Amino acid sequence: MSRRCELTGKGPMTGNNVSHANNKTRRRFLPNLNDVTLQSETLDRGFRLRISAAALRTVDHRGGLDAFLAKAKDAELSASALKIKKDIAKAQAAA
């Protein structure tokens, strides 16, 4: 499973461990990913996603999964999140 947020595209970054003697060795900074179930009001069901803690706060701030996906760029979303976005848009158009 890749270490990438399904909603924001946030992934691992690289940097250095710096010792007291100023020796530098490479390291990775991993995103804080959580397995969560987010509810869609339009589709009236839950979706299991692996998203970062920052993305979870953003979803709450924007007013839920439907509002977040409406504003999200397609390039940042994973394939499963893009499918959810299209299903929500289709259901809103039909309603």
Side-chain angles (χ1 to χ4, degrees):
M1 187 180 294
S2 70
R3 294 188 163 121
R4 189 160 296 277
C5 175
E6 294 187 46
L7 295 182
T8 61
K10 185 180 286 191
M13 296 176 65
T14 58
N16 290 308
N17 276 327
V18 181
S19 70
H20 186 67
N22 207 29
N23 297 327
K24 295 171 184 72
T25 55
R26 298 302 283 178
R27 63 159 292 183
R28 290 176 61 171
F29 295 94
L30 299 176
N32 182 10
L33 295 179
N34 299 302
D35 292 315
V36 297
T37 302
L38 296 174
Q39 296 292 326
S40 169
E41 294 93 28
T42 306
L43 300 176
D44 198 34
R45 61 172 287 227
F47 294 96
R48 287 188 50 79
L49 297 169
R50 192 161 194 234
I51 65 173
S52 64
L56 185 58
R57 286 195 307 271
T58 306
V59 167
D60 288 340
H61 178 75
R62 288 192 185 168
L65 181 64
D66 298 352
F68 179 89
L69 289 175
K71 278 188 162 184
K73 295 180 182 143
D74 290 350
E76 292 178 347
L77 299 174
S78 68
S80 60
L82 201 55
K83 184 180 181 323
I84 295 168
K85 180 178 179 176
K86 289 182 180 175
D87 290 346
I88 290 171
K90 193 183 298 181
Q92 287 176 341

